[in-house]
Amino acid sequence: MIGDGFPHRWGECGAVWSAGYAPKVIFATGTGFSLQRAVVTRHGFNKPFEIFRMASLTDQVRGLFSSDEQTSLRDLFIEELQDIYWAENHLVDNLPTMAKAATSAQLRQGFETHLQETRNQVERLERVFRSIGEEPESKKCEAMNGLVKEGEEIISDTTEGTLVRDAGLIIAAQKIEHYEIAAYGSLRTLAQILGYTEAAQLLEQTLDEEKATDAKLTQIAESFVNARAKQEH
């Protein structure tokens, strides 16, 4: 891109020349929308001056953070990883209780299937930690701790062998799933902004599993649990 003239979009990035004075590019790096730096001269100026342009939207997002702020964002990412790592391990310990309490075979099987998925998700989180040079470490997740307690209360407040209990267990489980969907969606986005490609892909995989589990719980509730629970007295 050497010669007279300049793309119009540069004029919108801080018009440094007046109408009628076309700049002349004497040095440029990058081309088109990836153009990053250009040194130009203009009639009436004795010295060249430089114009810069961010190369991509991702670069623009990263550019919002100074190096210190990027460190802080990494710290936040790690803390949130520790939080969900504790949460998933806590679920591994408590999903068997929910499965045992379920009335219908479909819901019990759903919990048992998700238990194995959750074990895999714990291992996946350990891969995420190591992909960014950190050892897996957990920090108590008060939110998950509270959600699991709600599930325990539903078990104690409902009658064994009823579909009312199943309806309550589905509500408790979907609260957990919605929390995890929010957590993994946020972590995936932070990983993308920080440039942690492998971590973002691993987190996306778990996010998809959590969404699928939530949909499966809805399907069980709507196919028979809700209607039959309504008929129980």
Side-chain angles (χ1 to χ4, degrees):
M1 187 175 162
I2 307 299
D4 293 328
F6 222 73
H8 177 66
R9 60 180 173 273
W10 282 90
E12 299 173 349
C13 298
V16 291
W17 58 85
S18 59
Y21 293 100
K24 182 175 181 178
V25 180
I26 60 176
F27 173 79
T29 59
T31 59
F33 283 102
S34 65
L35 188 65
Q36 296 174 338
R37 176 174 178 267
V39 179
V40 303
T41 60
R42 172 168 78 79
H43 176 73
F45 282 76
N46 294 324
K47 295 181 179 180
F49 56 90
E50 297 184 40
I51 298 175
F52 295 86
R53 179 183 184 277
M54 298 304 287
S56 68
L57 178 60
T58 301
D59 288 336
Q60 292 182 48
V61 172
R62 289 177 185 162
L64 295 174
F65 305 100
S66 68
S67 58
D68 289 342
E69 287 170 332
Q70 284 184 344
T71 300
S72 297
L73 194 63
R74 174 184 166 86
D75 290 343
L76 175 63
F77 179 67
I78 292 171
E79 287 177 4
E80 292 300 316
L81 275 180
Q82 293 171 345
D83 187 87
I84 197 65
Y85 185 55
W86 187 95
E88 295 290 23
N89 277 292
H90 194 53
L91 274 181
V92 168
D93 293 337
N94 286 276
L95 275 171
T97 300
M98 297 178 74
K100 183 178 179 180
T103 298
S104 65
Q106 293 93 324
L107 185 57
R108 187 180 308 111
Q109 180 62 48
F111 285 144
E112 290 171 350
T113 298
H114 193 54
L115 173 60
Q116 185 54 54
E117 275 187 342
T118 304
R119 291 191 180 112
N120 294 338
Q121 290 166 0
V122 169
E123 294 176 0
R124 195 176 296 136
L125 281 170
E126 292 169 352
R127 291 169 59 192
V128 171
F129 275 107
R130 295 191 177 101
S131 75
I132 62 170
E134 298 287 335
E135 285 301 312
E137 186 177 338
S138 64
K139 180 184 72 173
K140 185 175 181 179
C141 176
E142 297 294 349
M144 185 60 73
N145 190 48
L147 289 169
V148 168
K149 285 183 178 179
E150 282 194 25
E152 293 171 349
E153 289 175 1
I154 285 173
I155 293 172
S156 64
D157 291 344
T158 54
T159 303
E160 182 179 357
T162 65
L163 287 173
V164 169
R165 172 175 284 188
D166 275 12
L169 284 171
I170 289 171
I171 291 171
Q174 288 196 297
K175 285 182 180 181
I176 290 171
E177 291 307 311
H178 294 173
Y179 174 79
E180 291 183 309
I181 288 168
Y184 281 109
S186 298
L187 281 166
R188 184 271 319 273
T189 299
L190 287 179
Q192 290 173 336
I193 292 173
L194 290 165
Y196 301 150
T197 303
E198 182 181 355
Q201 291 172 346
L202 291 168
L203 292 164
E204 179 79 28
Q205 186 175 348
T206 298
L207 177 61
D208 289 342
E209 289 176 354
E210 303 295 7
K211 290 178 178 179
T213 298
D214 181 52
K216 179 62 176 177
L217 288 167
T218 296
Q219 187 272 325
I220 293 173
E222 293 181 346
S223 63
F224 70 94
V225 170
N226 291 345
R228 294 185 189 175
K230 183 181 177 181
Q231 298 172 1
E232 293 178 345
H233 299 286

